[in-house]
Amino acid sequence: MHELLQSRLSENSAQKQVFQPRFFYLSNVEDELQLKKLLAENPHIRVFDELKNQLEELIKSLNPSTLFTKETLHEAVDAHLGTTDIYSYGVWVYYPWSARLVHIVDKEEFIFLRTSRNHYKITPEEQKFLSTRKIGVVGLSVGQSVSVTMAMERLFGEVRLADFDLLELTNLNRIRTGVHNLGLPKVISVAREILEIDPFLNVVCYTDGLTEENMDDFFTKGGKLDLLVEECDGIDIKILCRYKARELGIPIVMEASDRGLLDVERFDLEPNRPILHGLIDHLDPQKAKILKTSEEKLPYMLPIVGFETLSTRLKASALEVGQSITTWPQLASAVTFGGGLTADVSRRIMLNEYNESGRYYVDLEELVRNTTEHKTDNIWVAPVAPLSSEEMIRLADTITLKPTSLQLSESVILELLTAANLAPSSGNNQPWKWLYRHNRLFLFLEQSRSYSFWDVDNVFAYVGLGAALENLILKTRQKGYDVQLSHFPKKQNSTLVAVISFIASDAISSEPSTPLDGFLAEHINTRVTNRNNGSRTVLSQEKFSELQNVLQNNTESSLHILNQETELTNVASIITACERLRFLHPEGHREFFQHELRWPDATGKLSEDGLDLSTFDLSSSDILGLRLAKSPEVISMLRTWQKGKGLERFSKKLILNSSAVGLVTLCGSDNTSLLHAGQAIQRVWLMANAMGLAVQPVMAPLYLFNYYHHNAHLLPEFMRSELKALHTKFNQLFVIKDSQRPVFLFRLAIANPPKVRSLRLPVEKTVVWANSPKEVIVRS
């Protein structure tokens, strides 16, 4: 049995390049002999003879005003045949790939009959003209529907088909063919389908696809093409064929099978027209030749198909390419619909009824939809009003001030505040507000800036304020003074965070200045978040010890370091999963994309707060991915599907290319302890930068774990269960004790310095001057 199957398989394999039928005219003796031989040697050939019905149709079509009876129609057919035997009339067409022999009327009558029901949407004169046209079709997934539709309307006399691919089972979701054709070249399959509809059409196949080597041949051999339908996946060929079409003055039509996008470029009428409407003029066409992965192709493909105008489902699917799917999805309904659109416009171009270039959308989902649909407002607004100067002064004046504070000049105070405001904060939200009064600085939490859905109880806001305090202390000591701090002087109010009094450097201080303080102060201005990709460089234990040493006077805080490859792999999986969950949560998504992230404006000016996109080390495909992820409708779809693995790729490579991931934990539960933790974090960060190490916070796990700890019941079940597992894995990985509270997670790397640094609000916008009861100055 196996041998028999193998023998038949070999026979089929030999037929894989065959697409031309054989014609037998029985009025020709040689043809009659050849057909007899064929039938004798191949008894399995099936014969189909419906010639009589064709002749009846022919008679009725030639005499549309005559009402025939059954008898009179038979008589008319007999008269039409005359002395010709019915078996010898017309032509017998043999299709070797299916072993079918079909009897049809000859070419002129066949074309007349097959196109008669086109009249007068296509007139006979127009049909005759179209039969002289030569059309090229490149790419036969969408192109299959286009080619067959045009063949059915007989919009050409010759079609040139180019595709190098073989039919696969996954193609059958949109290519109309049978499973028996799997493994067949797509061009052969389409050619056979066309010739089974109309064996008199001329079909030329390019089974290697369209290439630089055969492009001249494809466009000009046997006469120049009249129109090109471009549906190929290869970016380089998509671009090169347009240059060739423009050179030869050939119009191009492309259909994208998403939202009914139809693209027309009339190079026949506009010889200097930029290819693809100038959408990829900023990209290097030579580089297109070496693109391999979907990620590399993305920056070229999205402008071509129109990034902003993609359907929500296709945007969401694009983020899943390479994750849960292998390539861009297409549906048979869209491909079939596109075949009709392309055929219609192609016909009108060739008949000189449409003479423009353009990009058009025939979006069925937009045209046929629920009229009650509406988009939700996605604007992020802080639910807290800004602190007023009056409120700050009122709170400050309720504090009993015991020690006398030195009176420093306004210029010195501004210098201290400039240093303080250079501290890091969650999302660069800069949650500090300062009041200078009674020769003291009062530090307030500006919740209108610090509010975050994830930051329950202002945990991370206080950490940021602690970092600002550390900068202030270091800078004050560098200037030759010292400070005395009073944390949360009004126990019932958490908005007034600290009162800072200035004293002489030789006065008694609980934390006297050290040489290390002076060293760290020198690096306040150069401390920076470095989001550049690094190299997996192993750091010495001495470097980690230096980082640990800066915390020796801070007994509440501890530094945990992961630097082994397996540890980094594990922590990367936690960080990226948490970032995905953060994006998938509606509030988390809105907060990040509408509040934290700053998109470049038309002038290129950087923002004074938030995370400016230019500070990220992102590839063009990363940026496009962020633009896709920005859409709340896309995220809603991914959340419904419980997908979104593509959202993880933004950070995964950064973590895996890091030297280490660090975690600062805190032993303490009150807000003052959080300030101390912020001070510890700032010292570690300053030391790391001083050692030439890149530091980047990766806080998504801590944000989500903090929210989970307080409000797990408010999370969707799939997020809740995943976060629980991630939290357990995180604690085990860092060996966190029950008494330790994670407050800062960051990566350390050897990386190039960032080209752009996040800006800060001008100091004048963060301070209120009211040193005397009569003086209140707010500078802006």
Side-chain angles (χ1 to χ4, degrees):
M1 182 65 183
H2 290 177
E3 291 78 7
L4 181 59
L5 288 172
Q6 190 62 48
S7 172
R8 293 296 175 88
L9 286 171
S10 298
E11 292 175 12
N12 289 343
S13 180
Q15 291 283 327
K16 282 193 173 180
Q17 296 296 323
V18 176
F19 66 92
Q20 294 288 1
R22 291 177 62 184
F23 294 85
F24 297 93
Y25 291 91
L26 297 192
S27 57
N28 182 293
V29 176
E30 182 61 29
D31 278 8
E32 185 176 10
L33 292 173
Q34 289 293 329
L35 182 56
K36 284 182 179 179
K37 181 181 179 184
L38 178 70
L39 292 170
E41 293 176 352
N42 299 276
H44 58 281
I45 290 176
R46 291 175 296 165
V47 179
F48 300 85
D49 187 357
E50 294 294 324
L51 186 74
K52 186 177 179 182
N53 289 334
Q54 295 170 43
L55 291 173
E56 289 177 352
E57 273 195 295
L58 179 64
I59 296 300
K60 288 188 287 186
S61 298
L62 289 170
N63 302 277
S65 60
T66 303
L67 186 61
F68 289 97
T69 65
K70 189 175 183 179
E71 291 74 14
T72 58
L73 184 58
H74 286 171
E75 291 172 1
V77 168
D78 290 340
H80 184 82
L81 284 170
T83 59
T84 305
D85 178 75
I86 193 168
Y87 286 98
S88 300
Y89 192 91
V91 60
W92 291 83
V93 184
Y94 175 60
Y95 295 98
W97 54 88
S98 60
R100 289 183 295 214
L101 181 65
V102 185
H103 194 187
I104 59 175
V105 292
D106 206 358
K107 183 175 181 179
E108 186 176 339
E109 293 178 341
F110 180 90
I111 294 172
F112 169 76
L113 265 181
R114 206 177 71 73
T115 62
S116 62
R117 296 199 183 185
N118 289 350
H119 305 163
Y120 290 101
K121 287 210 166 183
I122 304 174
T123 68
E125 293 74 23
E126 289 170 335
Q127 200 81 65
K128 185 176 181 180
F129 172 78
L130 291 170
S131 70
T132 66
R133 300 299 88 188
K134 298 176 176 64
I135 292 178
V137 182
V138 184
L140 292 173
S141 288
V142 175
Q144 181 256 7
S145 182
V146 175
S147 302
V148 172
T149 303
M150 289 196 295
M152 292 169 72
E153 287 190 8
R154 217 170 201 279
L155 302 185
F156 54 78
E158 176 177 308
V159 63
R160 299 170 194 168
L161 307 174
D163 196 309
F164 62 85
D165 219 350
L166 304 180
L167 278 170
E168 297 173 330
L169 191 54
T170 53
N171 297 143
L172 268 57
N173 79 312
R174 62 197 183 279
I175 295 180
R176 185 183 58 215
T177 190
V179 291
H180 60 282
N181 281 330
L182 294 178
L184 194 68
K186 288 180 180 177
V187 285
I188 302 300
S189 174
V190 176
R192 289 177 177 180
E193 187 173 5
I194 289 172
L195 292 168
E196 285 174 353
I197 294 168
D198 190 332
F200 299 106
L201 289 170
N202 186 26
V203 181
V204 183
C205 290
Y206 289 77
T207 55
D208 293 331
L210 186 61
T211 66
E212 288 188 72
E213 292 72 26
N214 68 19
M215 197 168 289
D216 285 333
D217 221 43
F218 183 83
F219 274 89
T220 61
K221 187 177 181 180
K224 189 180 76 170
L225 289 178
D226 295 291
L227 181 136
L228 176 67
V229 177
E230 187 279 298
E231 302 292 351
C232 69
D233 295 329
I235 305 296
D236 57 331
I237 297 302
K238 193 176 282 286
I239 295 170
L240 288 173
C241 74
R242 280 171 168 76
Y243 283 118
K244 177 59 70 174
R246 187 170 66 178
E247 173 192 327
L248 297 171
I250 297 171
I252 292 184
V253 181
M254 176 185 75
E255 201 283 327
S257 68
D258 181 63
R259 295 194 59 219
L261 166 59
L262 189 77
D263 198 87
V264 182
E265 295 168 276
R266 295 302 302 268
F267 297 125
D268 54 328
L269 303 178
E270 303 169 85
N272 298 316
R273 183 176 184 81
I275 67 166
L276 288 160
H277 316 292
L279 293 170
I280 61 166
D281 283 355
H282 62 291
L283 298 171
D284 180 3
Q286 294 302 315
K287 190 178 178 182
K289 297 179 183 180
I290 59 173
L291 302 177
K292 300 294 183 186
T293 66
S294 295
E295 185 176 358
E296 292 172 337
K297 294 177 182 179
L298 207 60
Y300 286 79
M301 280 302 301
L302 289 180
I304 289 173
V305 298
F307 175 84
E308 297 297 341
T309 51
L310 292 177
S311 67
T312 299
R313 280 186 179 264
L314 192 57
K315 286 180 180 178
S317 300
L319 289 169
E320 287 298 305
V321 174
Q323 304 298 322
S324 60
I325 55 177
T326 58
T327 188
W328 295 72
Q330 292 176 310
L331 293 178
S333 54
V335 169
T336 304
F337 183 61
L341 283 177
T342 307
D344 180 89
V345 172
S346 297
R347 181 185 70 249
R348 290 189 286 124
I349 287 173
M350 290 185 291
L351 293 177
N352 200 31
E353 293 178 351
Y354 166 65
N355 303 301
E356 297 182 8
S357 298
R359 174 160 283 191
Y360 307 90
Y361 292 89
V362 187
D363 188 351
L364 287 180
E365 288 189 26
E366 185 65 26
L367 294 170
V368 185
R369 61 185 176 88
N370 295 325
T371 56
T372 57
E373 288 181 3
H374 64 278
K375 291 187 177 180
T376 57
D377 186 5
N378 196 51
I379 303 301
W380 187 93
V381 179
V384 183
L387 266 176
S388 68
S389 302
E390 293 76 16
E391 176 67 7
M392 294 167 68
I393 293 170
R394 187 190 66 76
L395 283 170
D397 286 348
T398 62
I399 306 301
T400 302
L401 303 172
K402 293 180 180 178
T404 302
S405 180
L406 292 176
Q407 183 171 356
L408 305 181
S409 68
E410 182 176 326
S411 63
V412 171
I413 294 296
L414 281 174
E415 193 175 349
L416 299 180
L417 291 179
T418 298
N421 289 2
L422 288 174
S425 55
S426 180
N428 192 28
N429 59 29
Q430 303 170 54
W432 37 76
K433 196 70 179 285
W434 306 92
L435 170 68
Y436 187 66
R437 188 166 176 78
H438 306 309
N439 298 329
R440 292 170 173 81
L441 280 172
F442 295 80
L443 173 60
F444 291 85
L445 170 63
E446 178 55 277
Q447 291 189 68
S448 66
R449 300 191 61 80
S450 71
Y451 174 80
S452 168
F453 175 78
W454 307 110
D455 196 3
V456 183
D457 293 338
N458 299 308
V459 170
F460 303 108
Y462 289 132
V463 169
L465 294 176
L469 280 173
E470 184 63 21
N471 272 4
L472 184 89
I473 293 167
L474 291 173
K475 193 67 178 178
T476 301
R477 290 174 177 171
Q478 188 187 46
K479 299 292 292 183
Y481 307 102
D482 212 329
V483 301
Q484 284 187 334
L485 292 176
S486 174
H487 299 116
F488 297 100
K490 291 186 72 64
K491 302 303 180 185
Q492 72 277 19
N493 186 290
S494 58
T495 301
L496 178 54
V497 174
V499 181
I500 302 102
S501 301
F502 299 99
I503 59 177
S505 59
D506 56 354
I508 297 174
S509 175
S510 58
E511 295 182 15
S513 180
T514 66
L516 180 59
D517 288 347
F519 175 77
L520 295 177
E522 291 293 333
H523 291 87
I524 289 175
N525 290 337
T526 56
R527 184 214 62 82
V528 67
T529 297
N530 188 337
R531 300 183 178 91
N532 287 344
N533 203 353
S535 57
R536 177 74 179 101
T537 304
V538 179
L539 301 179
S540 66
Q541 189 57 47
E542 288 75 14
K543 288 190 180 292
F544 296 132
S545 297
E546 287 186 66
L547 294 177
Q548 297 279 2
N549 288 340
V550 300
L551 298 181
Q552 58 187 356
N553 293 327
N554 192 319
T555 57
E556 290 182 282
S557 299
S558 301
L559 176 62
H560 309 247
I561 294 288
L562 300 179
N563 65 337
Q564 300 300 313
E565 191 168 348
T566 53
E567 293 175 330
L568 293 180
T569 300
N570 286 329
V571 77
S573 68
I574 297 172
I575 291 169
T576 55
C578 286
E579 290 193 343
R580 167 175 49 82
L581 292 174
R582 182 190 182 192
F583 287 169
L584 288 178
H585 194 284
E587 290 297 330
H589 179 269
R590 182 183 294 113
E591 184 175 296
F592 180 78
F593 284 97
Q594 299 296 331
H595 175 56
E596 285 189 19
L597 199 61
R598 298 291 186 270
W599 302 86
D601 65 11
T603 66
K605 181 182 176 182
L606 297 180
S607 60
E608 295 174 340
D609 62 356
L611 305 178
D612 201 291
L613 196 64
S614 59
T615 66
F616 289 74
D617 182 22
L618 298 175
S619 65
S620 53
S621 61
D622 288 335
I623 293 172
L624 287 170
L626 274 177
R627 290 174 64 194
L628 288 170
K630 182 182 179 183
S631 165
E633 291 80 17
V634 166
I635 294 300
S636 175
M637 197 150 283
L638 290 174
R639 186 168 57 248
T640 300
W641 300 340
Q642 293 189 26
K643 297 294 182 182
K645 293 291 285 186
L647 300 171
E648 299 183 3
R649 58 184 169 215
F650 302 123
S651 295
K652 187 173 184 178
K653 59 186 176 184
L654 291 176
I655 305 301
L656 296 180
N657 289 335
S658 299
S659 297
V661 170
L663 175 70
V664 176
T665 58
L666 167 69
C667 288
S669 58
D670 63 0
N671 291 339
T672 300
S673 295
L674 291 171
L675 296 177
H676 291 159
Q679 291 183 252
I681 289 163
Q682 180 66 349
R683 293 176 72 86
V684 170
W685 199 325
L686 289 169
M687 177 56 77
N689 281 176
M691 294 161 57
L693 297 176
V695 177
Q696 179 190 355
V698 280
M699 294 290 288
L702 303 194
Y703 293 157
L704 269 68
F705 296 158
N706 178 58
Y707 188 86
Y708 175 83
H709 176 72
H710 291 86
N711 296 315
H713 63 287
L714 298 178
L715 292 169
E717 171 56 32
F718 81 94
M719 287 189 181
R720 189 161 62 242
S721 58
E722 188 172 358
L723 273 177
K724 181 178 180 180
L726 290 169
H727 194 195
T728 301
K729 184 179 177 182
F730 183 86
N731 289 344
Q732 292 171 346
L733 191 58
F734 281 99
V735 194
I736 299 173
K737 300 175 183 176
D738 291 341
S739 60
Q740 293 176 318
R741 183 181 191 180
V743 288
F744 186 61
L745 185 66
F746 61 102
R747 61 180 281 264
L748 291 170
I750 303 297
N752 292 327
K755 295 178 181 178
V756 178
R757 178 176 181 169
S758 295
L759 297 183
R760 291 294 187 276
L761 293 165
V763 174
E764 292 78 8
K765 289 186 177 181
T766 68
V767 61
V768 174
W769 300 90
N771 202 32
S772 68
K774 295 181 180 179
E775 177 190 32
V776 179
I777 302 174
V778 183
R779 294 182 174 88
S780 61

